[in-house]
Amino acid sequence: MSTLPPSYISCISRLLGNDTAAFLRSYEQPRAFGLRLNPLKLRAGDRVTENLIGLFGLKPIPWCSDGYFYEESIRPGRHPFHAAGLYYIQEPSAMIAAELLDPQPGELVLDLAAAPGGKATQIAGKMNGEGLLIANEIHPARAKILSGNVERLGISNTLVTQSSPQQLSERFPERFDRVLLDAPCSGEGMFRKDPDAAKQWSPEAVDACAVRQRDILPHAAAMLKPGGTLVYSTCTFNTLENEEIIADFVSRQPEFRLIREERMWPHLGQGEGHYAAVLRKEASSLPDEPEAKPTRTSKPRKNGSLPTLEDAAIQTFRTFAEEVLPGFRLPPNGSPLLFGDALYWMPVSPNTPASSKSLSGLRVLRPGLHLGDFRKSRFEPAHALAMAVAAEDAALTSDYSADSPEIAAYWRGETLPASPGMKGWGLTTVDGLPLGWFKASDGQQKNRLPKGLRSLSP
Ligand code: SAM
């Protein structure tokens, strides 16, 4: 509490009145830690899920169906289950925004300010691989982290873009069923979690954030279809960045109706500060024009026309998959996309905003599920593919328990012994869940875990 700027305390006192003392006392109390189980990999009631809940001593978070509290000493970020994408570590209050957004399988959803990916991975979990999520982040380094988290959680129906809100809104007017704007903010709600952040706080910084939020929100709103749902959220307490932004926005754009506002307070619950507003778009904001025809994702091929490079590449993948991943099926409603030597399966559906044409000129870090790369005409499967498949899909697996020396060695990037006759691509699995590829030959399982994902422990 001693690190809190006095002008911040005055601000909070004006907001909270008699509750100020209880609020300030919360800074003296330990904070709650949370994680979300990944429904793309774990099902409620399954053995692995129950073991994980028992192993980490997890307790349900009431406002998030997949959310759990854990004790700080557990350090789940250092466990191989984290590398296998079984959960995402996320501040408990932050889980409220995607719950309120309530995305459904098959929808088109945009997360406009998505890094590092807490809410985007939560949205993708709720969509269960059906429909399309565009997870966008303007800052290049943060967009890479977002992309890594989308990969780790085995998400196949998501495009990661690195664009400005304006670039996207020009490209995708009224295209999405749901849009989340988890806006950059002054972060007051995170001062207990990150005391250094309090040092950056000033009334001027709050004003600057509010200006930026007012600038971004209309772009988020412009991309929502009539009838769609927009959630605006921040991790700050200041009304200037929350209720006042929303009230001003609704007064300027009356086609939006405010459905609900939620506040999460550290002195009233087990979590940090968060704000979320749910808005419904009741009518179009576009000027009256003849309705645009949905963009075709690809031209229908005339009989006899030459196969494209994509056709050849996906055929190579199918031959690879028949042998290595006989149980795997490419997600329906997708199309192959070659990005240099890299082959992706891009999620597409009727009226999709994503096609190689509609994305051209935008910076796309991950145009869907990365299937693999062509290296000197050989096909090598991508790590993202290992994370998106189930162990049962693979012809060859090497399974070890989470606390085994083999898993520790694999995670460090070491080669493991292979039985005589073991040959080709296989999945190393931890308690039955894929951790990465190996390639077996000459009595060895050569480690194919990407270098950047290896554990640094000796
Ligand atoms: N939704 C994320 C999650 O759950 O992990 C957290 C997002 S964070 C609160 C806000 C994000 O907005 C940051 O990643 C930041 O880089 C990005 N941002 C900053 N300035 C922006 C701008 N002008 N337009 C869009 N996004 C911006």
Side-chain angles (χ1 to χ4, degrees):
M1 195 168 105
S2 56
T3 55
L4 295 177
S7 50
Y8 168 66
I9 297 180
S10 323
C11 248
I12 281 290
S13 311
R14 279 198 298 279
L15 183 63
L16 284 179
N18 290 341
D19 286 347
T20 307
F23 172 83
L24 292 176
R25 268 200 306 279
S26 73
Y27 282 81
E28 313 292 333
Q29 282 143 24
R31 72 178 181 92
F33 292 82
L35 59 76
R36 253 185 322 93
L37 299 184
N38 181 1
L40 302 176
K41 288 176 183 269
L42 295 173
R43 268 175 227 297
D46 274 6
R47 184 183 52 83
V48 188
T49 313
E50 292 306 310
N51 284 350
L52 179 58
I53 290 172
L55 180 71
F56 289 176
L58 302 177
K59 305 271 178 331
I61 294 178
W63 54 90
C64 175
S65 47
D66 297 314
Y68 290 85
F69 296 112
Y70 66 86
E71 295 298 326
E72 186 179 10
S73 57
I74 297 294
R75 302 205 176 281
R78 298 188 183 176
H79 197 279
F81 285 161
H82 184 260
L86 301 201
Y87 45 82
Y88 188 98
I89 295 171
Q90 189 177 20
E91 196 286 302
S93 295
M95 298 175 189
I96 190 72
E99 292 296 317
L100 293 174
L101 186 71
D102 195 25
Q104 301 295 316
E107 290 184 333
L108 301 177
V109 183
L110 170 67
D111 183 350
L112 185 54
K119 292 168 184 108
T121 54
Q122 191 175 356
I123 292 168
K126 289 180 181 296
M127 295 174 76
N128 196 28
E130 295 165 43
L132 170 77
L133 168 65
I134 295 191
N136 180 68
E137 167 58 44
I138 195 167
H139 285 293
R142 290 177 61 83
K144 278 195 187 138
I145 296 169
L146 167 66
S147 183
N149 280 324
V150 167
E151 175 178 89
R152 182 173 62 83
L153 270 78
I155 296 167
S156 58
N157 68 331
T158 294
L159 276 87
V160 179
T161 57
Q162 191 229 304
S163 295
S164 70
Q166 185 178 344
Q167 279 172 314
L168 289 182
S169 68
E170 281 167 4
R171 194 66 65 100
F172 301 130
E174 299 203 334
R175 294 292 168 79
F176 294 93
D177 298 298
R178 296 178 203 253
V179 174
L180 173 65
L181 171 56
D182 188 31
C185 68
S186 58
E188 294 167 356
M190 295 297 140
F191 289 173
R192 179 166 66 170
K193 188 173 166 221
D194 178 9
D196 278 349
K199 294 182 194 147
Q200 318 293 323
W201 189 92
S202 68
E204 294 73 32
V206 171
D207 290 342
C209 285
V211 168
R212 190 160 51 170
Q213 289 148 357
R214 269 170 222 265
D215 183 40
I216 303 172
L217 181 55
H219 291 296
M223 288 186 267
L224 191 67
K225 286 178 186 170
T229 302
L230 170 69
V231 169
Y232 171 87
S233 60
T234 72
C235 60
T236 208
F237 299 118
N238 211 299
T239 54
L240 283 174
E241 298 181 60
N242 296 327
E243 287 85 350
E244 291 182 42
I245 294 286
I246 295 302
D248 176 65
F249 170 74
V250 174
S251 72
R252 287 167 196 269
Q253 294 200 217
E255 70 275 22
F256 279 85
R257 188 159 64 88
L258 176 59
I259 305 289
R260 180 173 170 186
E261 280 173 306
E262 274 301 328
R263 283 264 189 173
M264 309 294 276
W265 292 101
H267 61 297
L268 298 179
Q270 280 183 282
E272 305 309 296
H274 230 80
Y275 166 85
V278 183
L279 298 144
R280 184 125 322 127
K281 190 176 198 171
E282 300 198 317
S284 172
S285 326
L286 292 177
D288 277 344
E289 270 177 25
E291 204 174 297
K293 292 217 175 78
T295 21
R296 297 201 79 104
T297 53
S298 57
K299 286 198 189 111
R301 177 116 16 95
K302 288 190 199 123
N303 279 345
S305 67
L306 291 174
T308 62
L309 280 176
E310 259 94 4
D311 292 334
I314 203 69
Q315 192 45 49
T316 306
F317 171 76
R318 286 187 201 280
T319 308
F320 166 88
E322 264 167 36
E323 189 188 329
V324 175
L325 292 170
F328 174 68
R329 299 285 167 273
L330 284 165
N333 304 321
S335 68
L337 181 73
L338 268 174
F339 240 45
D341 292 338
L343 176 64
Y344 288 84
W345 186 252
M346 188 169 74
V348 286
S349 52
N351 295 326
T352 183
S355 65
S356 28
K357 199 170 143 209
S358 70
L359 294 173
S360 77
L362 295 179
R363 193 161 155 60
V364 183
L365 271 75
R366 186 176 290 276
L369 174 61
H370 186 188
L371 298 175
D373 302 290
F374 291 91
R375 299 203 198 284
K376 296 188 191 142
S377 78
R378 268 203 329 266
F379 180 78
E380 298 212 348
H383 181 66
L385 181 64
M387 302 313 286
V389 300
E392 301 75 61
D393 295 336
L396 181 60
T397 55
S398 285
D399 188 47
Y400 309 98
S401 68
D403 55 3
S404 65
E406 287 87 354
I407 281 297
Y410 178 82
W411 202 7
R412 287 193 300 267
E414 292 169 23
T415 291
L416 293 173
S419 51
M422 198 193 231
K423 203 164 167 31
W425 290 98
L427 288 172
T428 301
T429 59
V430 51
D431 289 326
L433 287 131
L435 192 55
W437 292 107
F438 66 81
K439 195 170 184 193
S441 65
D442 306 325
Q444 289 189 325
Q445 300 178 46
K446 299 214 177 78
N447 193 310
R448 306 311 286 260
L449 188 66
K451 288 204 169 67
L453 300 180
R454 294 178 184 176
S455 102
L456 301 173
S457 57

